[in-house]
Amino acid sequence: MSRWLLAALALWAVSGGDSLPACNYPPRLLCSSWKIAVACQVEKLCPKFYHRPQAANPVSLSLYYESLCPGCRNFLVTQLFPTWVMLSDIMDITLVPYGNAQEKNVSGKWQFECQHGELECRGNMIETCLMYQLKDFDHSFPVIFCMESAGSVVENLEACLQVYAPTVHLAEINSCVTGDLGNKLMHRNAQLTDALNPPHNYVPWILVNGKHTDALQARAQTALFRMVCELYTGEKPDACEGGGLSPSAAEDRVSLN
Ligand SMILES: *[C@@H]1O[C@H](CO)[C@@H](O)[C@H](O)[C@H]1NC(C)=O
């Protein structure tokens, strides 16, 4: 008999039929359905329920930003990244580095002009290339976080790669940054940004489940973790329990309606 079944039996024996009237099932049926497992409080012991299927769509968060804007950096470093570390199972993040940049077509090649100058354009381009070349957001986001939290966003690329993506060569990223690939990818960011509806009129510009309102934006910027936990309609992950809702939290609840 397997260990989990022994443990389930033990738990079933101590909990007894009286204290848990809903659990009127013989041991062999305890893991036969999610409902029974929950009623008998053994769901964590049932192998097939231990890795719960994703019950609901992840909460999607899109950030339209530019690499050197202080408010963008602050949001990414103090809200978005820490929340993602805890809740990546229930959230989907899209980063679009472009913000208030402008583009123009100069004989078939796009030229970009950024609010905070040339360095910002380079930062936007590096981050765009990182997401494209590392493919998996789980790998690129820590590098982007590292750059954005450092003193100089652009100059820290190499050090951040060494720590968070040691197998990626700086030269690969640089060839994207200075080549046609980066140019095309940045044009795509421009198109995505220009297609925003309503159009963005400040940065960072945040969409929650595809939607932007001032209230969603304000909540995301001050209490993103709690917001993602609240908006997730599936079973809340354990991380959400720990945060707990303070009495005042009820007041700043945001609904998507
Ligand atoms: C950009 O400019 C070139 C010529 O300078 C033109 O052939 C091309 O169609 C333009 N592209 C766009 C998207 O406007």
Side-chain angles (χ1 to χ4, degrees):
M1 192 178 294
S2 67
R3 237 180 351 188
W4 65 265
L5 190 51
L6 278 176
L9 278 169
L11 197 68
W12 185 72
V14 292
S15 54
D18 292 334
S19 57
L20 284 170
C23 181
N24 272 331
Y25 305 95
R28 72 188 162 78
L29 290 182
L30 289 183
C31 290
S32 63
S33 84
W34 173 247
K35 214 170 130 194
I36 294 175
V38 169
C40 298
Q41 300 181 15
V42 297
E43 68 274 19
K44 290 216 167 87
L45 302 169
C46 301
K48 71 175 162 181
F49 300 133
Y50 191 71
H51 293 291
R52 251 190 332 250
Q54 291 269 318
N57 288 332
V59 176
S60 90
L61 190 136
S62 306
L63 174 63
Y64 290 77
Y65 71 110
E66 47 196 40
S67 64
L68 298 190
C69 112
C72 303
R73 297 178 68 181
N74 187 57
F75 174 69
L76 192 148
V77 170
T78 67
Q79 296 284 334
L80 190 57
F81 188 75
T83 298
W84 176 79
V85 167
M86 301 289 284
L87 301 178
S88 62
D89 286 350
I90 62 163
M91 69 188 298
D92 251 354
I93 295 178
T94 304
L95 297 182
V96 183
Y98 188 76
N100 296 327
Q102 307 280 331
E103 67 172 4
K104 57 175 191 260
N105 178 357
V106 178
S107 41
K109 202 169 147 105
W110 295 102
Q111 269 183 14
F112 304 99
E113 207 167 287
C114 296
Q115 188 178 11
H116 301 92
E118 196 44 47
L119 272 185
E120 177 162 84
C121 281
R122 192 167 175 88
N124 291 346
M125 190 70 95
I126 291 171
E127 293 176 6
T128 299
C129 285
L130 281 169
M131 285 187 277
Y132 183 84
Q133 297 199 292
L134 273 58
K135 294 187 179 69
D136 191 345
F137 188 72
D138 288 1
H139 295 150
S140 57
F141 195 26
V143 183
I144 292 171
F145 160 76
C146 174
M147 290 172 61
E148 291 292 339
S149 58
S152 160
V153 172
V154 168
E155 278 163 26
N156 275 285
L157 171 62
E158 189 168 12
C160 290
L161 279 177
Q162 274 165 12
V163 174
Y164 291 102
T167 59
V168 177
H169 298 294
L170 184 62
E172 294 170 50
I173 304 297
N174 281 340
S175 85
C176 167
V177 166
T178 55
D180 285 349
L181 176 58
N183 198 261
K184 287 199 178 83
L185 293 170
M186 190 54 65
H187 173 57
R188 175 90 188 117
N189 287 353
Q191 290 179 309
L192 289 170
T193 305
D194 290 343
L196 282 170
N197 182 21
H200 79 289
N201 45 33
Y202 50 81
V203 283
W205 187 259
I206 299 164
L207 268 56
V208 179
N209 287 336
K211 195 167 156 176
H212 174 92
T213 66
D214 288 344
L216 286 169
Q217 170 97 20
R219 187 84 199 289
Q221 287 190 270
T222 51
L224 181 67
F225 181 89
R226 227 156 49 191
M227 182 168 78
V228 172
C229 281
E230 285 176 18
L231 290 178
Y232 183 63
T233 55
E235 190 163 342
K236 315 283 184 199
D238 290 345
C240 287
E241 313 296 331
L245 288 175
S246 64
S248 66
E251 294 163 19
D252 60 355
R253 249 167 217 268
V254 169
S255 89
L256 282 174
N257 299 323

